[in-house]
């Protein structure tokens, strides 16, 4: 989990840089086109601002995707460069504090899920699957022609 100890923030802000395993994010994505198996990389500045916790920085999550148009597998990165969260420490909407620590993981998870691609594309101008004209085997073409020839000979009164 991505926890911040409030006692470390009493004098000045801190910088958090590292990785968070994808399993700890618990994204719960049941999408055949997107998989997040690699860890989340974070680089955050955290400080107490009046009666609130302010965390800003960059979140990067590598994704393995399948193009929704051509079905090719490709890798991409979900990057939240200007990520920020402002969490009140007092009042009605205050954040949950356990052992002088605040867990940022639920807020990171929520913003990552909101930024997930709905229809991943290998490239913006992907043309999709290539349509190849259906070809009939020659045996079927010959049989088809024979049937029509027999119908042409049919005499209707």
């Amino acid at each position: 989990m991505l926890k911040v100890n409030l006692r470390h923030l009493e004098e000045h802000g801190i910088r958090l840089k590292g990785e968070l395993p994808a399993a700890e994010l618990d994204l719960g994505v049941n999408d055949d086109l997107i998989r997040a198996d690699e860890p989340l990389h974070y680089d955050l500045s955290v400080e107490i601002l009046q009666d609130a916790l302010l965390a800003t920085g960059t979140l990067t999550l590598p994704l393995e995707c399948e193009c929704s148009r051509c079905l090719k597998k490709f890798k991409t990165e979900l990057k939240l460069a200007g990520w920020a969260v402002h969490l009140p420490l007092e009042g009605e909407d205050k954040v949950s504090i356990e052992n002088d620590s605040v867990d940022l993981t639920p807020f990171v998870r929520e913003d990552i899920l909101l930024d997930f691609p709905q229809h991943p594309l290998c490239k913006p101008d992907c043309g999709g699957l290539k349509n190849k004209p259906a070809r009939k085997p020659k045996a079927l073409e010959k049989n088809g022609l024979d049937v029509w020839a027999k119908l042409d000979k049919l005499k209707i009164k």
Side-chain angles (χ1 to χ4, degrees):
M1 289 197 249
L2 185 55
K3 288 190 174 185
V4 177
N5 190 318
L6 296 176
R7 292 185 186 228
H8 296 151
L9 299 173
E10 288 174 351
E11 293 179 21
H12 54 80
I14 61 171
R15 183 168 183 204
L16 299 174
K17 190 172 185 174
E19 294 182 348
L20 184 64
E24 286 189 29
L25 276 174
D26 190 27
L27 294 173
V29 177
N30 296 328
D31 193 339
D32 294 335
L33 300 178
I34 303 170
R35 283 194 4 242
D37 296 329
E38 295 183 41
L40 168 80
H41 303 277
Y42 59 87
D43 185 3
L44 304 174
S45 295
V46 185
E47 60 185 314
I48 292 183
L49 189 63
Q50 295 177 352
D51 292 330
L53 180 73
L54 177 66
T56 59
T58 302
L59 303 172
T60 308
L61 181 66
L63 298 174
E64 292 181 31
C65 300
E66 192 172 304
C67 181
S68 61
R69 289 186 188 161
C70 70
L71 304 178
K72 279 190 213 175
K73 294 187 183 291
F74 69 97
K75 291 186 177 191
T76 188
E77 272 188 351
L78 186 144
K79 188 169 187 172
L80 301 174
W83 183 76
V85 64
H86 183 265
L87 305 170
L89 297 173
E90 294 180 6
E92 198 174 293
D93 296 328
K94 73 178 182 178
V95 69
S96 173
I97 301 171
E98 283 186 35
N99 299 327
D100 294 330
S101 295
V102 173
D103 186 9
L104 298 177
T105 311
F107 306 100
V108 168
R109 177 186 311 114
E110 181 179 336
D111 288 341
I112 285 174
L113 287 172
L114 287 172
D115 210 47
F116 253 51
Q118 289 184 0
H119 304 286
L121 297 176
C122 58
K123 51 188 175 184
D125 60 344
C126 176
L129 295 172
K130 305 294 182 220
N131 288 335
K132 294 182 181 176
R135 298 172 92 191
K136 294 181 186 176
K138 292 191 178 196
L140 286 178
E141 287 179 14
K142 184 178 178 188
N143 288 343
L145 292 175
D146 288 343
V147 172
W148 285 109
K150 289 179 183 177
L151 286 173
D152 286 339
K153 293 178 185 176
L154 183 66
K155 296 190 181 189
I156 302 175
K157 290 185 180 180

